[in-house]
Amino acid sequence: MEHQIIATLRMPRVLSGALIGANLAVAGALMQGLTRNPLASPSVLAINSGAALFIVLSSFGFLSLSIPTAVMGAIGSALSGLLVMFLGGAFDDRPHPVKLVLAGIAINALLLGLTRATIILADDQAYSVQSWLIGSISNLDWSALHQLLPISVVGLVLAWALAHPLNLLVLGNDVATGLGVNTSLIRLLRS
């Protein structure tokens, strides 16, 4: 009985939690490396709120597409990240990290407000979506880990490939460009 509990319940949760934690840690490190700000995180740069808004809109039927919820979250986070980068001047010749963080905070507040307004408008389904947004690993099984693993491996390998150019980017855009780093491409790939 103990073996069955460990093999079917505990082990998938432990492995999924470790993989999710690794993904979040790498995402935070990438954000901090890009913005040169130790306080930067995916939530500060509106990545999380963009994903949450798209998940809520698709769950309530406002975006009536037959796309899985996780993919809608990825689309929302990518679009909000690109919007923050555009408004924050990340594609300029001399981007300023503070401008990027301020744009992220403003877009984050806007998207969180839209998410909460959508939840209030669809009150009958609010509890299920709210529990999904909070997140939990209590119901994860081996199939969830198999879905998470390929995406995580691709993301972690891409982050590993971006580590050296991001280290050069910390030295400044002029130095990184002089050393052969395409700074705009690195910022786009980071998101």
Side-chain angles (χ1 to χ4, degrees):
M1 184 67 158
E2 290 84 7
H3 175 71
Q4 192 71 5
I5 290 173
I6 290 172
T8 59
L9 295 176
R10 302 282 190 235
M11 197 56 117
R13 292 179 193 171
V14 168
L15 294 176
S16 297
L19 191 57
I20 291 167
N23 290 336
L24 291 173
V26 169
L30 288 174
M31 296 292 168
Q32 291 172 1
L34 178 70
T35 61
R36 295 181 224 131
N37 186 340
L39 299 176
S41 69
S43 61
V44 171
L45 296 180
I47 304 295
N48 293 352
S49 58
L53 178 63
F54 270 60
I55 287 168
V56 167
L57 289 175
S58 68
S59 295
F60 292 153
F62 292 117
L63 294 175
S64 59
L65 303 172
S66 61
I67 298 175
T69 305
V71 175
M72 288 302 291
I75 291 169
S77 64
L79 290 176
S80 64
L82 288 173
L83 179 64
V84 167
M85 290 175 62
F86 177 72
L87 293 177
F91 298 113
D92 295 345
D93 290 336
R94 295 181 182 266
H96 198 276
V98 174
K99 187 177 175 185
L100 184 67
V101 170
L102 289 176
I105 291 171
I107 297 298
N108 187 42
L110 173 70
L111 295 177
L112 282 176
L114 290 172
T115 302
R116 290 186 179 135
T118 307
I119 290 173
I120 289 170
L121 289 174
D123 187 36
D124 56 335
Q125 298 172 338
Y127 179 74
S128 63
V129 171
Q130 192 67 25
S131 65
W132 201 94
L133 289 175
I134 292 170
S136 173
I137 60 171
S138 64
N139 294 328
L140 293 181
D141 56 3
W142 287 110
S143 65
L145 181 63
H146 292 304
Q147 291 174 2
L148 180 64
L149 191 61
I151 297 168
S152 297
V153 168
V154 169
L156 292 172
V157 167
L158 183 61
W160 180 72
L162 289 174
H164 181 68
L166 274 178
N167 284 337
L168 294 178
L169 199 60
V170 169
L171 298 173
N173 289 333
D174 295 335
V175 174
T177 303
L179 293 172
V181 175
N182 185 347
T183 57
S184 296
L185 178 66
I186 294 302
R187 284 187 175 83
L188 182 64
L189 287 175
R190 184 271 320 154
S191 66

